[in-house]
Amino acid sequence: MEETTGAEPQTPPAGDTPASEPRVTHEVDGGTVRLTIDGELTDAARRPLVRTLTDLLLAEHDLQRVELHLAGVGFMNSAGLAVLVQLQKMAVPRAIETVLVEPPSTVTRPLQLTGLWHRFTVVQADGQVTAEATGDGGPRPGPADHS
């Protein structure tokens, strides 16, 4: 197993509100990588998460599953939603499943409200599946309704 810690603190330009990068750690166990995110899931999370996943995709050729452990996320905004979707889209070309592990309501509620919930498999810490991915979150094809 391998583990690293993430982002180094950055000093914001004068007059800017500090954008707090979350703490990102990872652990590789066979074909599974576990990314643990602690902090806020906002635009500031994009750089450390994308960098970490990119490095892992380049180094680990046998990955089958990316688990995003989100229990430590206290806040997520629309930029955080976009980061989750970006991470999932990075894994799709290699047929790597992206799983959300133990997401708090600060993560699940925005996902449900936007319909992005359907893009991800969601599991509890013990591995129990609470929601299955059903595709890209778009409408499912069905019979045409002609009235």
Side-chain angles (χ1 to χ4, degrees), residues 129-142:
V129 176
T130 57
E132 280 288 335
T134 58
D136 65 0
R140 291 177 179 231

Side-chain angles (χ1 to χ4, degrees), residues 94-128:
R94 289 191 31 202
I96 299 171
E97 179 184 27
T98 303
V99 178
L100 307 182
V101 179
E102 213 173 5
S105 62
T106 55
V107 173
T108 58
R109 191 68 180 138
L111 285 168
Q112 290 167 339
L113 290 171
T114 58
L116 294 170
W117 178 256
H118 301 290
R119 295 183 74 100
F120 300 95
T121 295
V122 180
V123 301
Q124 294 306 310
D126 64 3
Q128 179 183 357

Side-chain angles (χ1 to χ4, degrees), residues 19-22 40-46 49 75-77 79-80 83:
S20 169
E21 280 190 4
E40 295 183 352
L41 197 47
T42 63
D43 192 49
R46 182 177 312 278
L49 285 168
F75 173 78
M76 181 175 75
N77 62 12
V83 172

Side-chain angles (χ1 to χ4, degrees), residues 47-125:
R47 175 178 280 160
L49 285 168
V50 169
R51 179 179 49 228
T52 300
L53 186 56
T54 299
D55 290 346
L56 289 164
L57 290 172
L58 291 171
E60 304 291 334
H61 299 287
D62 295 329
L63 284 182
Q64 298 169 350
R65 180 176 168 120
V66 173
E67 294 181 354
L68 301 173
H69 291 254
L70 302 171
V73 174
F75 173 78
M76 181 175 75
N77 62 12
S78 60
L81 285 169
V83 172
L84 291 179
V85 171
Q86 181 178 4
L87 295 175
Q88 188 227 16
K89 284 185 171 189
M90 290 172 65
V92 165
R94 289 191 31 202
I96 299 171
E97 179 184 27
T98 303
V99 178
L100 307 182
V101 179
E102 213 173 5
S105 62
T106 55
V107 173
T108 58
R109 191 68 180 138
L111 285 168
Q112 290 167 339
L113 290 171
T114 58
L116 294 170
W117 178 256
H118 301 290
R119 295 183 74 100
F120 300 95
T121 295
V122 180
V123 301
Q124 294 306 310

